Amino acid sequence: MPAVTFLPDNCVVEVSEGENLLRAALLADIVVHASCGGDGTCGKCLMIVESGDVAASPSARLTAEQAAAGYVVGCKTTVLGDVTVRIPDASRPGAIPSGNATRRAVNPILSRQQRIARLPRHTSPPPVAKRLVRMTPPDTTDSTNDARLVKLGLRRAHGIRDATISLAALRELPRIAREGGWVVTAIAAEPCDTLPGVSGFQAGDTTDCQYAVAVDIGTTTVEVAVIDLNTGAEIAREADYNGQTRLGDDVISRIIASTKPGGLEELGRLVTETIVKLVETALSTCGASEEDIVCYYVAGNTVMTHLLLGITPEHIRTAPYTPVTSSFPWLRAQEFGLPSASTTRLYAMPCPASWLGGDIVAGVVAAGMPWTEKLTLFIDIGTNGEIVLGNSEWLVSTSCSAGPAFEGRGIRHGMRAAEGAIEQVRIDSETLEPSYLTIGAAKPAGICGSGLIDCVSELFLCGALERTGSFVAELDNPHVREGDSGREYVLVDASSSATGCDIVLTESDIDNLMRAKAAIFAGITVLAESLDVDLNEIEEVVVAGGFGRYLDLERVVALGMVPELPRDRFVFLGNGSLLGAALAATSREVLRTARKTGEMMTYLELSVNAGFMDSYMSALFLPHTDLGQFPQTEKLRAERSRIGAVS
């Protein structure tokens, strides 16, 4: 990876080729003026390229003299190789930090290719796919029936033995076989006891167009991805808030809503409408036809999966917390009104326990835990915080209610990780002036999960926040003001925002985030203690969730959400649920592994654990009441704090 050296800081950061210099500066913890979110309109992030290879876009914000002197607009200049850059005083909101040369590792969320590279190589075909069958035309010397010819072709070409054929497919077979000149495309799956192996046929060879749709049904957000089954590549992705949120922000409120007359049907309709809208948009984006979708692979928590399928979740809410089922049959997508052909199937990932669903099974598979000997901690950060500890031999899991703050809900200017969402924030320790980047380099419209974590952690490290999360009482700074419900930090002023309003972070927002992070850390602590595992014994920590593209480990740790372990033990997976569903769509072996993973998981119920509330209360501070667990965070805060003595 190219190395960017920033002067006069003498700080070196490695970035991907094609990354822009403003992003590189923020990743290096260098605060630079940037009030436009990185779209190049403010022209404040000026830098001087002293050596190295970059690609700089022309900018009207540069004078001819500046351009001749090597000035570039940081957000519009991409890194092509090793480069040395000087940041002039005018581009900084505060004093230049002093100190020795440093080299900072960064942790962007892994790309899809990087995530797949962590897993064993799988060569098995998709569980459901189009399979080309060349039939031998019958004649007077060989009157083998049409269905038998198809079965012989599937066995010879694809190794599918004893395939059954649905009645609907049999009715169409004579016409399609002859229209296709005895060449047909069979929509075929592994034989199973809930659906026939062949659900339909198409005349001729149509295997060049076949797609699967992976669906992650979150309590707050629904995300879909269209997968090209010929290449395994994701060709379109869309996300939006779950339509069910109008009936409640959390699973408990939705369980209650489902017990009211017509409630179960209404909740099913709302989430289906969300999926339909997203899939139609994704298909339009990539130019695919719903007739070529062979299967949907759905991953969601146990309540969300029950609601989609029209199964009551009412008994999940009360002891002994039992779902109706933990596994689901193959279904037909048209039963749910999803964009599909009559042959399109739907598979829901297994849900091992009441509060442990198919989204976590999919995430654990995407993290590679079923194949690793490393003691691994998997954390899915969302409305429900799910945690899994183990390896290929054993897996123990738990779940805690974190609330929707990580996905932008319950935050004054929160939003999901979409274009215009602030996803990275750095704050100058002297002036408290922010520098931020948005998704898509668009005008800031709100703040997503990664930006929220960054902003609160930065304010704490700067000394602007007490350990309780409230602003320091004696703080007198133009960026902090009295709001309608307490003090608030102005992250973006109205003139620079896409909404025409100030984007602020309130003490109530901070409180919501602190309660969410405390639940996550308490869940980790109790799970490890229950298994007699010291946190330092954990060899890898995989963090998953629907954040922006960047989640800074130093800020996550400073918040007190995860244990303070060596940086190289952490991996940021992104939406593991969606990735796991997509992997299952492309490999029969991965799908089988997912089923086995669901069966081997043991679940720890926190609601009956006497120590959970004590752990939760201890974690309701920044970073924790036991500061001995966070020595590096305390050192960093002491170095950065703008207030002389840090309490």
Side-chain angles (χ1 to χ4, degrees), residues 402-638:
F406 294 121
E407 297 178 74
R409 301 281 290 191
I411 304 300
R412 172 78 66 85
H413 292 108
M415 63 181 290
R416 62 182 180 83
E419 185 168 303
I422 297 170
E423 64 171 347
Q424 275 187 286
V425 179
R426 295 294 181 269
I427 296 175
D428 182 73
S429 297
E430 181 181 349
T431 65
L432 294 191
E433 182 171 330
S435 181
Y436 56 84
L437 284 171
T438 63
I439 295 176
K443 264 197 167 186
I447 185 166
C448 68
S450 59
L452 179 64
I453 290 169
D454 264 12
C455 193
V456 174
S457 296
E458 281 285 289
L459 287 169
F460 173 64
L461 292 172
C462 288
L465 292 181
E466 303 280 8
R467 296 193 184 278
T468 58
S470 58
F471 286 100
V472 172
E474 62 269 27
L475 183 62
D476 182 15
N477 186 281
H479 291 282
V480 179
R481 69 189 186 192
E482 287 295 330
D484 296 336
S485 56
R487 302 180 85 187
E488 59 190 29
Y489 175 76
V490 181
L491 183 57
V492 183
D493 62 43
S495 63
S496 299
S497 77
T499 62
C501 301
D502 291 342
I503 296 175
V504 302
L505 185 73
T506 69
E507 286 184 328
S508 176
D509 296 336
I510 296 169
D511 183 61
N512 283 337
L513 180 63
M514 287 181 63
R515 284 189 276 114
K517 75 91 180 176
I520 298 290
F521 191 82
I524 294 170
T525 303
V526 171
L527 181 61
E529 289 175 350
S530 299
L531 297 169
D532 198 25
V533 170
D534 187 288
L535 292 177
N536 290 306
E537 296 175 10
I538 296 171
E539 297 173 82
E540 184 170 69
V541 181
V542 180
V543 182
F547 302 100
R549 293 170 297 164
Y550 290 83
L551 194 62
D552 192 279
L553 175 60
E554 205 167 68
R555 273 76 191 166
V556 175
V557 172
L559 197 64
M561 184 161 60
V562 299
E564 191 176 276
L565 297 173
R567 175 185 288 272
D568 59 6
R569 297 189 195 180
F570 285 83
V571 173
F572 291 89
L573 192 63
N575 190 335
S577 172
L578 192 70
L579 176 63
L583 290 171
T586 59
S587 169
R588 184 168 58 202
E589 183 181 346
V590 171
L591 181 60
R592 287 173 175 169
T593 300
R595 291 171 179 166
K596 292 178 182 177
T597 299
E599 293 169 358
M600 71 181 287
M601 278 188 178
T602 302
Y603 184 72
L604 175 68
E605 180 58 65
L606 289 180
S607 64
V608 296
N609 187 291
F612 176 73
M613 188 52 66
D614 290 339
S615 295
Y616 174 73
M617 296 302 294
S618 296
L620 275 176
F621 294 85
L622 294 171
H624 195 273
T625 52
D626 181 6
L627 300 182
Q629 295 189 52
F630 295 89
Q632 294 304 314
T633 296
E634 287 303 293
K635 179 181 178 182
L636 180 62
R637 187 174 188 238

Side-chain angles (χ1 to χ4, degrees), residues 120-129 131 158 190 229 371 583-593:
R121 182 177 294 276
H122 300 290
T123 57
S124 62
V128 184
R131 268 99 181 192
H158 306 286
E190 297 179 83
L229 291 179
W371 299 280
L583 290 171
T586 59
S587 169
R588 184 168 58 202
E589 183 181 346
V590 171
L591 181 60
R592 287 173 175 169
T593 300

Side-chain angles (χ1 to χ4, degrees), residues 21 43-49 54-57 59 62 66-67 69-78 85-86 88 91:
L21 288 177
K44 295 180 180 179
C45 57
L46 296 183
M47 304 180 189
I48 304 169
V49 177
V54 299
S57 300
S59 174
L62 287 175
Q66 287 175 323
Y71 279 78
V72 295
V73 177
C75 64
K76 292 299 181 182
T77 304
T78 56
V85 178
R86 182 173 296 276
S91 295

Side-chain angles (χ1 to χ4, degrees), residues 103-119:
R103 190 178 189 94
R104 192 173 192 280
V106 299
N107 45 274
I109 290 175
L110 298 180
S111 68
R112 184 175 184 275
Q113 290 73 23
Q114 290 172 318
R115 289 176 287 187
I116 292 175
R118 290 168 41 84
L119 306 178

Side-chain angles (χ1 to χ4, degrees), residues 5-84:
T5 302
F6 288 101
L7 301 176
D9 310 77
N10 290 321
C11 182
V12 183
V13 63
E14 292 183 345
V15 299
S16 300
E17 185 175 336
E19 189 60 272
N20 70 64
L21 288 177
L22 177 59
R23 176 88 66 183
L26 265 65
L27 291 172
D29 283 347
I30 297 173
V31 182
V32 179
H33 283 301
S35 60
C36 64
D39 71 355
T41 56
C42 74
K44 295 180 180 179
C45 57
L46 296 183
M47 304 180 189
I48 304 169
V49 177
E50 296 201 344
S51 65
D53 195 8
V54 299
S57 300
S59 174
R61 297 290 181 178
L62 287 175
T63 66
E65 292 78 11
Q66 287 175 323
Y71 279 78
V72 295
V73 177
C75 64
K76 292 299 181 182
T77 304
T78 56
V79 176
L80 302 180
D82 292 350
V83 60
T84 299

